[in-house]
Amino acid sequence: MGDVIYITGHRNPDSDSICSALAYADLKKKLGYNAIAARLGEISRETEFILDYFNLKKPEYLPTVKIQVCDLEMDNVEHVYPHTSIKEAWTIMNKGNYKTLPVVDSHKKLLGVVSLTDITFKYMDTQDVNVIATSKTPLKNIIETLNAKILCGSEEDFKTSGKVIIAALKYEQMKSYVNVGDIVIIGNRTDSQVTAIEQGANLLIVTGGCDVEENVLKLCKEKKCIVISTPNDTFTTARLINQSIPLNYVMTSNDIIKFELDDLADEAKEVMTKTRHSSYPVVDTNNHIKGFISRYHLITQKKKKVILMDHNETAQSVHGIEDAEVIEIIDHHRVADVQTSKPIYFRNEPVGSTSTIVANMFFENGLTPEKGIAGALLGAIISDTLKFKSPTCTNVDKVTAEKLASIAEVDIDTFAYEMFKAGTSLKGKTPEEIFYQDYKDFNLGEYKIGVGQVNTMDPSSIEETKSDLLAFMNNVCKTGNYNLVIIMVTDIVNEGSELLFVGENKELISKAFNVELGENSVYLPGVVSRKKQIIPPLSQATE
């Protein structure tokens, strides 16, 4: 299937932006590509009506196309537990050629990390003769590390609080060395074994795989002394026993430098340049370990592949578009400022809707869109052309819409009425919801202009919130350093738009449309298209 291709419309998406992305992703999948439709904002009531009507799910939200940690090829590393011995961890590291292991709890949540350096440093630096007791090493670890078997006692009896000694002296001399709670590495000399037990040793480690006499084992039971037998010799046993220490004694658990899946790769790179670790753990939002990354993974990262639908302006596109690889653009607007590093497939047609282009791409490839996809494309065409009343509408839009209506099995007039009724009511909406319902930024020469549009069958419904809407627009204008901010309140029934505007360069509207302005509004009969009837005259006025 190849790399994932994200197909996305513009910010503050309208129905055409969402539906064309959904449909084009479906077409790409049918042609063998690994395509995912995405959205850059919340969908409108109208779009929600279209998707619900045809039982389609809205695209997933895509916050950025910058490379994130989740996009990197992470190293899958075996996890270990706090009680795991350093010998077992060392074996895992050598077998898997790992330099660092994650230490997790029973739910696989990250508790710490242990590196080769941690193990070697702690092991080589062990000066504490009571380290087995200090590290609270479980008996199980000692048995596994020494490949031993238990002859007497149990884990419950293991309460060592003393040092590890080797019983190399005669039994008479041992009394001054063995104390209560000690671990004694000993051979098969019965007299020495008895002395160690009577002195209060908690654990006897009998080397050479030797058996222990019954009378000694009986004494062990009385004194609650544990006896284990290891096949190793005394030197090997003494060398290995400290390797039974659990990882929670040597691991790093404080101030762990880790990354989450949605962290940006650039941010991870910056952290790595300030630290010297060879690898770093990656966790999800629940702190579950997902893998490890290193500087190598950042060097070999791939850019995300993106197809832009219904726009070709950087200001309208997804965050991080400059760091992505744009491989296609399907649009019906003016050519703007998106730049690519190499030639791409760019299809731009002077039709009323991007969905018209996508529908015909199905037909050109000998494919018929499924009923739901056909319905979504139809809804977008009706929306963008105001049911063929917009001056942007072409005969191609009408013919395509009729073909899609047949596939979707709907009546255009009935469906359009229900769609506009569901999507154009402004009652109950906040100023922010109204303003950003279908909003775009435009850079026209030296001027930064924002233009939103709402279509309504009841333009009077804007009156109750007009003052609040203008106040909100003023705030947008000031904080965004706009020269002019406009919202078109388009009357679908009477085919005209009231422009509400704020900004220092209101005279651009007067020049563009040759009208006298009210304080913050003007009505333009016959004007229903932002793309064809608002932006071109404003562009000429800025020149």
Side-chain angles (χ1 to χ4, degrees):
M1 294 285 286
D3 296 335
V4 173
I5 301 172
Y6 296 94
I7 302 179
T8 170
H10 49 73
R11 300 178 192 180
N12 307 306
D14 59 4
S15 296
D16 191 29
S17 178
I18 295 293
C19 295
S20 63
L22 275 173
Y24 199 54
D26 184 67
L27 174 59
K28 281 293 186 182
K29 289 175 184 177
K30 285 179 167 56
L31 297 176
Y33 294 92
N34 187 11
I36 296 176
R39 60 183 171 86
L40 306 186
E42 289 302 319
I43 62 174
S44 66
R45 293 179 183 175
E46 177 189 273
T47 308
E48 185 177 12
F49 172 84
I50 295 171
L51 298 183
D52 289 346
Y53 193 96
F54 294 105
N55 197 28
L56 296 173
K57 292 182 179 180
K58 66 181 179 181
E60 291 297 318
Y61 175 65
L62 183 66
T64 183
V65 288
K66 281 182 174 289
I67 298 297
Q68 295 172 280
V69 170
C70 60
D71 300 313
L72 304 177
E73 293 184 3
M74 288 175 274
D75 290 332
N76 293 317
V77 178
E78 290 189 48
H79 58 265
V80 288
Y81 298 97
H83 60 265
T84 302
S85 68
I86 63 174
K87 181 176 183 289
E88 184 181 349
W90 185 274
T91 301
I92 292 172
M93 286 178 166
N94 284 333
K95 185 178 179 181
N97 195 28
Y98 306 133
K99 289 184 172 59
T100 306
L101 292 177
V103 184
V104 302
D105 63 13
S106 58
H107 300 290
K108 295 185 180 180
K109 291 187 176 183
L110 185 69
L111 297 176
V113 293
V114 61
S115 66
L116 289 172
T117 303
D118 292 329
I119 292 175
T120 54
F121 179 79
K122 284 283 187 180
Y123 184 70
M124 295 298 292
D125 194 50
T126 299
Q127 304 294 325
D128 183 5
V129 294
N130 304 88
V131 67
I132 298 295
T134 304
S135 63
K136 299 181 180 179
T137 302
L139 179 64
K140 182 173 79 69
N141 280 24
I142 297 175
I143 293 172
E144 290 176 353
T145 301
L146 300 179
N147 193 24
K149 62 181 179 180
I150 191 164
L151 302 180
C152 178
S154 65
E155 186 80 47
E156 289 75 22
D157 298 325
F158 189 58
K159 298 174 182 177
T160 182
S161 57
K163 58 187 179 297
V164 179
I165 67 169
I166 298 174
L169 300 173
K170 290 182 179 181
Y171 72 92
E172 298 95 339
Q173 297 170 300
M174 283 176 52
K175 293 181 180 180
S176 60
Y177 287 94
V178 179
N179 297 310
V180 175
D182 282 353
I183 298 172
V184 181
I185 300 174
I186 199 165
N188 62 351
R189 292 175 57 179
T190 303
D191 51 1
S192 296
Q193 294 170 352
V194 171
T195 299
I197 297 167
E198 290 178 340
Q199 288 298 112
N202 182 240
L203 172 65
L204 294 188
I205 302 175
V206 181
T207 61
C210 299
D211 293 326
V212 178
E213 294 182 5
E214 285 298 324
N215 63 314
V216 176
L217 293 176
K218 183 178 179 182
L219 181 61
C220 285
K221 290 180 181 178
E222 293 175 4
K223 299 289 186 177
K224 291 191 176 181
C225 176
I226 305 165
V227 182
I228 63 174
S229 175
T230 173
N232 300 308
D233 58 48
T234 300
F235 172 76
T236 303
T237 301
R239 184 171 59 85
L240 288 178
I241 190 167
N242 280 358
Q243 294 184 23
S244 65
I245 296 168
L247 291 179
N248 59 8
Y249 184 70
V250 303
M251 72 183 188
T252 300
S253 56
N254 297 323
D255 300 321
I256 301 172
I257 300 176
K258 60 185 178 180
F259 302 111
E260 294 194 359
L261 291 171
D262 58 357
D263 288 343
L264 296 178
D266 286 345
E267 295 172 353
K269 182 179 180 180
E270 186 175 347
V271 172
M272 288 184 184
T273 58
K274 297 177 182 178
T275 54
R276 294 183 175 274
H277 302 298
S278 58
S279 58
Y280 301 79
V282 176
V283 296
D284 62 15
T285 53
N286 294 315
N287 203 38
H288 293 126
I289 187 73
K290 307 305 291 185
F292 276 76
I293 59 172
S294 63
R295 292 169 179 80
Y296 166 77
H297 297 97
L298 296 176
I299 296 171
T300 58
Q301 66 184 358
K302 294 182 180 179
K303 290 184 175 183
K304 289 183 180 178
K305 294 184 176 180
V306 182
I307 295 177
L308 305 185
M309 304 297 296
D310 198 36
H311 74 290
N312 68 98
E313 284 196 61
T314 303
Q316 297 176 13
S317 201
V318 61
H319 173 261
I321 189 65
E322 65 281 356
D323 293 330
E325 181 185 358
V326 178
I327 61 173
E328 290 184 32
I329 298 175
I330 314 295
D331 194 16
H332 70 130
H333 296 95
R334 70 190 184 105
V335 178
D337 62 349
V338 172
Q339 297 183 357
T340 60
S341 59
K342 56 187 177 182
I344 66 168
Y345 181 77
F346 191 146
R347 183 157 177 170
N348 187 287
E349 297 183 18
V351 291
S353 171
T354 300
S355 291
T356 299
I357 303 172
V358 175
N360 284 296
M361 292 178 77
F362 270 92
F363 305 142
E364 290 164 9
N365 281 279
L367 298 171
T368 299
E370 296 171 4
K371 181 178 179 180
I373 296 296
L377 290 169
L378 171 64
I381 294 172
I382 293 172
S383 173
D384 249 24
T385 64
L386 296 179
K387 208 188 81 170
F388 318 126
K389 295 178 181 179
S390 170
T392 61
C393 183
T394 68
N395 189 58
V396 175
D397 296 297
K398 295 177 182 178
V399 171
T400 304
E402 290 171 357
K403 196 169 183 178
L404 292 169
S406 176
I407 298 169
E409 300 177 358
V410 297
D411 176 73
I412 290 179
D413 290 334
T414 302
F415 175 75
Y417 177 80
E418 293 179 5
M419 182 187 78
F420 285 133
K421 182 180 178 181
T424 63
S425 175
L426 302 179
K427 291 184 178 179
K429 286 190 176 183
T430 65
E432 184 176 6
E433 288 173 332
I434 294 172
F435 182 74
Y436 284 120
Q437 181 170 308
D438 181 8
Y439 172 83
K440 294 180 180 180
D441 283 331
F442 296 91
N443 294 310
L444 304 179
E446 299 177 356
Y447 295 88
K448 182 181 179 182
I449 300 176
V451 184
Q453 182 175 21
V454 290
N455 298 324
T456 179
M457 298 174 74
D458 180 19
S460 63
S461 62
I462 197 73
E463 293 300 324
E464 63 185 43
T465 188
K466 184 180 287 187
S467 59
D468 291 337
L469 180 57
L470 287 169
F472 178 81
M473 290 167 62
N474 260 314
N475 185 56
V476 170
C477 190
K478 290 176 182 178
T479 57
N481 295 317
Y482 288 89
N483 298 96
L484 184 61
V485 172
I486 302 170
I487 186 166
M488 301 172 59
V489 182
T490 301
D491 184 343
I492 299 173
V493 178
N494 296 311
E495 299 181 36
S497 296
E498 180 185 11
L499 302 193
L500 304 181
F501 52 83
V502 296
E504 294 182 357
N505 296 97
K506 301 175 183 178
E507 76 281 355
L508 290 175
I509 297 175
S510 180
K511 291 180 182 179
F513 304 104
N514 194 25
V515 292
E516 291 186 9
L517 304 179
E519 183 178 357
N520 288 107
S521 71
V522 64
Y523 183 77
L524 302 179
V527 173
V528 295
S529 170
R530 173 176 52 195
K531 180 183 75 172
K532 200 163 184 177
Q533 295 175 297
I534 296 294
I535 300 306
L538 281 176
S539 181
Q540 290 179 3
T542 61
E543 295 172 1

